[in-house]
């Protein structure tokens, strides 16, 4: 197809996610290498969001491609009831990367069904039905994961599933209370959560589900002591702590898993995206040894035709090897430090920047009309004049590809980005922010 045919056929026959379909004009992509991809005219773009924060090792990674090819030559598919080397090996590698309380892995197709299965397992294990999750969150678009989700992408699924309860995130920037310290903020949010759990009937709550670090809803990083406080609530009432590591996992924050930045061990960990960097889709749930043992004598009522797909698991093994053998986390920590410095400088320079939040190579720039009142550049859940869309469009024209959410611009490049590449791209963001009228 010619590039024009690709775009025309795509808009004629494909329904595109999260969009009004009229007027869409997808860029026909021809190829990619490292942090860049290019269209048919040869225009090169820097992938500053790692696509959907999944392409952690960038485009065209030879080791991953070869691993998929090698596995395809052996067998492309085998039902989950058979023994499969790539599925067994990847599960073992993942358990070894996790804390010592984690025992087994159940593979899924992606992040949403990882969360679906995590809550199913927590409910079966505890015999309870209520599930807590946060307002500023995204956990996937299927019915269960969409009901866990707190942000407006939940609305089309309402009325919601009975027993799904929402609580507030530790979103200090937008909290009317001025806290003396991060610890004081944590004490407040944890106390409120404990109160809410008690009001809901603590013996009815199966799980508290959290993105360890809220991703697409604005890189909300838990203050010191917060996750430890939630862990304590879970321990006190026999509730399962589920960390959604779909976005924060696999090196994004400078640790293999986001929760490893704090002193906690979740009972269940859902993951996807960076496990295969999107080369083949894969997700999964890692569960504690206690939960794994429970299913020795109780039926694990979960199943998917493609659970542990051999090609996906082969890609996963190659990715995990690449993260460790190429010391990718060291790069995240080094380049991430520079990213933080650049973002702080932008906050000083541009009136429209209300806040910058970052950890590793996981960052958001929160834009405001007024720094004092913190009035967001666009109202919550809306962008009637296409302001954010316009900013992302200007960045794209300069070859800086990312996406926005609410009044925030996401910066999450592939974890292999060099310092030089980062500086070059961030200049483009600086220029575009300079044009925003606060
Ligand atoms: C934190 C988090 N959880 C779950 C999901 C859903 O993953 P998927 O789109 O692979 O179903 C996403 C997707 O962006 C996510 O960011």
């Amino acid at each position: 197809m010619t590039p024009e045919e690709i775009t025309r056929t795509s808009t004629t026959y494909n329904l595109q996610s999260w969009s009004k379909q009229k007027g869409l004009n997808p860029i026909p992509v021809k190829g990619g290498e490292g942090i860049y991809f290019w269209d048919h005219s040869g225009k090169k773009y820097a992938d500053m969001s790692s696509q959907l924060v999944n392409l952690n090792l960038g485009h065209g990674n030879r080791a991953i491609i070869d691993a998929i090819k090698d596995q395809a030559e052996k067998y492309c598919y085998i039902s989950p009831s058979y023994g499969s080397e790539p599925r067994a090996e990847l599960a073992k590698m993942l358990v070894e990367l996790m804390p010592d309380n984690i025992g087994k892995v159940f593979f899924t197709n992606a992040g949403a069904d990882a969360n679906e299965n995590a809550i199913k397992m927590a409910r079966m294990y505890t015999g309870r039905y209520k599930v807590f999750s946060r307002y500023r969150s995204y956990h996937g678009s299927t019915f269960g994961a969409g009901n866990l989700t707190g942000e407006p992408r939940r609305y089309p699924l309402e009325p919601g599933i009975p027993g799904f309860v929402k609580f507030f995130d530790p979103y200090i920037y937008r909290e009317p209370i001025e806290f003396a310290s991060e610890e004081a903020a944590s004490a407040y949010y944890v106390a409120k959560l404990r109160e809410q759990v008690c009001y809901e009937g603590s013996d009815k709550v199966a799980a508290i589900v959290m993105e360890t670090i809220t991703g697409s809803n604005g890189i909300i990083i838990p203050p010191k002591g917060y996750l430890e406080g939630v862990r304590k609530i879970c321990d006190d009432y026999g509730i399962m702590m589920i960390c959604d590591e779909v976005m924060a996992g696999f090196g994004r924050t400078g640790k293999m898993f986001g929760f490893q930045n704090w002193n906690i061990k979740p009972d269940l960990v859902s993951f996807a995206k960076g496990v295969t960097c999107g080369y083949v889709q894969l997700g999964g749930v890692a569960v504690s040894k206690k939960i794994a043992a429970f299913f020795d004598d109780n039926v694990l009522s979960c199943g998917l035709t493609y659970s542990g797909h051999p090609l996906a698991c082969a890609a996963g093994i190659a990715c995990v090897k690449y993260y460790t053998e190429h010391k990718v986390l060291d790069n995240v920590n080094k380049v991430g430090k520079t990213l933080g410095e650049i973002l702080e400088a932008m906050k000083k320079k541009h009136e429209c920047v209300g806040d910058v939040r970052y950890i590793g190579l996981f960052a958001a720039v929160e834009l405001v009309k007024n720094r004092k009142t913190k009035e967001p550049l666009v109202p919550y859940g809306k962008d009637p004049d296409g302001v954010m869309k316009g900013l992302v469009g200007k960045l794209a024209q300069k070859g800086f590809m990312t996406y926005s959410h609410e009044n925030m611009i996401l910066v999450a490049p592939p974890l292999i980005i060099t310092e030089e590449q980062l500086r070059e791209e961030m200049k483009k963001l600086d220029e575009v922010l300079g044009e925003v009228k606060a």
Side-chain angles (χ1 to χ4, degrees):
M1 290 189 199
T2 63
E4 294 73 24
E5 278 168 344
I6 297 172
T7 302
R8 197 173 53 246
T9 313
S10 173
T11 51
T12 308
Y13 294 105
N14 293 131
L15 282 169
Q16 194 159 312
S17 324
W18 310 120
S19 312
K20 282 185 190 157
Q21 306 296 306
K22 207 162 144 192
L24 292 175
N25 190 22
I27 298 169
V29 173
K30 191 163 181 206
E33 187 71 50
I35 75 153
Y36 302 105
F37 60 96
W38 48 86
D39 64 18
H40 286 253
S41 72
K43 182 169 162 64
K44 202 167 110 179
Y45 305 89
D47 196 342
M48 294 304 284
S49 65
S50 308
Q51 294 300 298
L52 295 177
V53 201
N54 59 335
L55 211 82
N56 288 6
L57 295 174
H59 299 260
N61 182 298
R62 210 6 74 194
I64 313 172
I65 296 167
D66 287 345
I68 299 165
K69 277 186 171 171
D70 287 352
Q71 182 56 42
E73 294 293 345
K74 293 178 193 153
Y75 54 94
C76 286
Y77 177 73
I78 196 79
S79 137
S81 58
Y82 292 90
S84 154
E85 187 177 332
R87 181 167 61 120
E89 188 182 343
L90 181 58
K92 181 171 183 281
M93 286 169 101
L94 295 177
V95 167
E96 284 168 3
L97 288 171
M98 296 262 175
D100 57 7
N101 67 318
I102 297 292
K104 283 189 180 175
V105 174
F106 176 76
F107 286 114
T108 65
N109 298 311
D113 56 342
N115 286 320
E116 298 274 349
N117 284 285
I119 52 176
K120 265 179 84 172
M121 288 188 213
R123 285 166 55 136
M124 286 186 269
Y125 177 73
T126 59
R128 304 170 178 183
Y129 70 97
K130 290 201 176 183
V131 180
F132 272 56
S133 60
R134 295 190 301 213
Y135 280 106
R136 291 249 175 191
S137 72
Y138 182 72
H139 294 288
S141 78
T142 52
F143 205 77
N147 266 276
L148 284 179
T149 294
E151 51 122 304
R153 281 182 278 182
R154 160 174 59 107
Y155 302 161
L157 297 164
E158 293 191 313
I161 299 175
F164 278 50
V165 179
K166 295 287 171 298
F167 64 105
F168 284 102
D169 307 63
Y171 190 13
I172 296 175
Y173 175 67
R174 293 218 165 266
E175 187 64 61
I177 304 167
E178 287 259 341
F179 297 110
S181 64
E182 282 193 35
E183 287 84 349
S186 294
Y188 170 79
Y189 291 114
V190 169
K192 291 310 262 182
L193 177 58
R194 184 179 284 273
E195 200 180 350
Q196 207 181 343
V197 164
C198 290
Y199 286 159
E200 288 292 335
S202 58
D203 60 347
K204 294 183 174 43
V205 183
I208 298 177
V209 184
M210 287 170 304
E211 289 180 68
T212 320
I213 294 159
T214 300
S216 45
N217 280 267
I219 318 298
I220 302 170
I221 302 167
K224 274 190 205 117
Y226 176 82
L227 289 173
E228 289 84 348
V230 177
R231 178 69 267 179
K232 177 91 176 50
I233 294 175
C234 291
D235 290 341
D236 288 350
Y237 301 115
I239 298 168
M240 295 299 101
M241 182 177 195
I242 303 180
C243 284
D244 178 342
E245 287 276 332
V246 170
M247 220 181 234
F250 294 97
R252 179 55 57 194
T253 68
K255 300 271 186 194
M256 195 47 119
F257 298 101
F259 62 79
Q260 290 168 333
N261 290 287
W262 295 276
N263 189 22
I264 55 137
K265 293 177 187 178
D267 299 300
L268 299 102
V269 180
S270 56
F271 62 87
K273 296 195 188 261
V275 66
T276 54
C277 297
Y279 281 65
V280 182
Q281 71 275 37
L282 182 71
V285 192
V287 306
S288 70
K289 288 175 181 160
K290 282 187 191 158
I291 297 175
F294 172 82
F295 289 114
D296 283 344
D297 300 312
N298 294 277
V299 174
L300 175 72
S301 192
C302 301
L304 296 158
T305 299
Y306 298 121
S307 176
H309 195 286
L311 298 184
C313 289
I317 293 165
C319 286
V320 173
K321 278 191 184 152
Y322 198 96
Y323 287 122
T324 31
E325 284 168 11
H326 289 78
K327 298 193 173 21
V328 172
L329 269 55
D330 289 353
N331 191 58
V332 176
N333 288 310
K334 190 177 89 178
V335 185
K337 192 165 172 282
T338 307
L339 174 62
E341 287 161 12
I342 295 172
L343 290 170
E344 291 295 348
M346 282 179 178
K347 185 171 154 186
K348 279 207 183 96
K349 182 171 167 189
H350 301 292
E351 271 297 301
C352 64
V353 177
D355 197 20
V356 290
R357 294 183 289 274
Y358 49 87
I359 178 166
L361 288 170
F362 201 25
V365 179
E366 175 152 3
L367 301 177
V368 291
K369 281 190 179 158
N370 182 316
R371 263 191 180 175
K372 277 207 185 84
T373 65
K374 298 185 183 174
E375 184 187 351
L377 193 64
V378 294
Y380 185 70
K382 300 186 189 87
D383 185 6
D385 305 320
V387 174
M388 294 304 294
K389 204 172 156 205
L391 290 179
V392 168
K394 277 187 188 170
L395 284 169
Q397 272 170 15
K398 291 178 186 283
F400 182 117
M401 301 307 278
T402 188
Y403 57 93
S404 64
H405 186 90
E406 305 289 348
N407 58 329
M408 288 168 273
I409 292 176
L410 186 93
V411 182
L415 309 182
I416 50 164
I417 193 170
T418 65
E419 214 157 318
E420 198 185 355
Q421 288 169 331
L422 181 85
R423 287 189 191 282
E424 188 183 326
E425 295 308 319
M426 292 303 280
K427 269 191 217 144
K428 299 173 186 171
L429 179 58
D430 188 52
E431 285 162 18
V432 170
L433 292 177
E435 294 170 25
V436 180
K437 284 191 195 77

